[in-house]
Amino acid sequence: MTPQDASLKAEEICRLAPVVPVLVVHEVAHARPLAEALVAGGLPALEVTLRTPVALDVIREMAQVEGGVVGAGTLLTPEDVVAAKEAGARFGVSPGATDRLLDACESHDLPLLPGATSASESMRLLERGYSVQKFFPAEAAGGAPFLKSLASPLPQIRFCPTGGVGPGNAMDYLSLPNTLCVGGSWVAPSAMVKAGDWTGITALAKEASGLG
Ligand code: 3PG
């Protein structure tokens, strides 16, 4: 898959809803009800971070949920790419980008949303063909004012800011011309997941899907 095709796919996924839930799931049994709750609340694109030992099994389960588009986050190595693809991930997200990671995503046909936090990082990715990028860690790296400043010199790059984004500041990003959607963990708080409060999570997802 070319970087250009990857970006087209990433844009399509980012346009499904204003928020992509960033999920750290510790129990495989939570996978299906969690994905169903988020999809029911209007958030179909889901990022499962590869940060727990069960993450790949969680992707396998969530990939069966109707209406969901499940991706793998925290991709760091070519091995992560192969494993994510094999588990059924339809897209990948990485906090930054390396040549090895980009090569692996391109050769395994996994559309990637690669991370960047500076004009130079964004330009390098754009030079390779990635016009849709994750802005991470969004708040710590300068927040909405920083991203807004990139819109004039780099209007061809669209972002999914993630990291420190929540209901209080999501609109600061979503109102920018270079933001397609935001990523965030607030729609699936660990206490609610642990308690199996799927109705509560659907309610949070509904609020989030109404943003923008
Ligand atoms: C992460 O690193 O977990 C994501 O960027 C989500 O960050 P958040 O918990 O601040 O939404």
Side-chain angles (χ1 to χ4, degrees):
M1 162 175 277
T2 65
Q4 288 78 7
D5 284 343
S7 287
L8 282 175
K9 193 70 201 164
E11 173 156 2
E12 201 180 287
I13 291 164
C14 286
R15 288 194 186 280
L16 290 172
V19 179
V20 176
V22 176
L23 307 171
V24 183
V25 186
H26 295 275
E27 308 249 2
V28 180
H30 292 151
R32 284 214 194 200
L34 175 58
E36 283 164 2
L38 291 164
V39 171
L43 302 180
L46 309 174
E47 176 190 337
V48 178
T49 60
L50 298 189
R51 294 190 214 161
T52 64
V54 295
L56 292 167
D57 289 329
V58 168
I59 291 173
R60 252 177 225 112
E61 286 293 315
M62 287 191 172
Q64 317 292 323
V65 171
E66 209 183 315
V69 179
V70 181
T74 328
L75 292 182
L76 303 179
T77 66
E79 292 73 28
D80 290 341
V81 173
V82 173
K85 180 83 189 186
E86 193 271 326
R90 288 164 64 182
F91 66 96
V93 184
S94 55
T98 67
D99 287 334
R100 290 177 75 229
L101 185 70
L102 298 174
D103 289 346
C105 286
E106 289 161 22
S107 60
H108 291 93
D109 284 334
L110 188 69
L112 179 71
L113 187 63
T117 16
S118 71
S120 292
E121 288 174 6
S122 284
M123 285 170 63
R124 267 192 214 104
L125 283 168
L126 183 66
E127 208 166 70
R128 184 157 171 158
Y130 289 92
S131 56
V132 179
Q133 303 172 8
K134 171 178 175 172
F135 174 51
F136 174 83
E139 279 294 288
F146 181 96
L147 205 51
K148 186 179 181 193
S149 305
L150 291 185
S152 296
L154 300 169
Q156 62 278 64
I157 306 177
R158 305 296 171 90
F159 293 92
C160 169
T162 305
V165 182
N169 60 4
M171 278 312 299
D172 297 345
Y173 292 98
L174 290 168
S175 56
L176 300 177
N178 57 351
T179 294
L180 293 170
C181 65
V182 299
S185 61
W186 84 91
V187 286
S190 54
M192 285 171 88
V193 173
K194 210 170 167 188
D197 183 1
W198 313 124
T199 314
I201 288 177
T202 294
L204 286 178
K206 274 189 183 150
E207 275 172 38
S209 64
L211 292 167

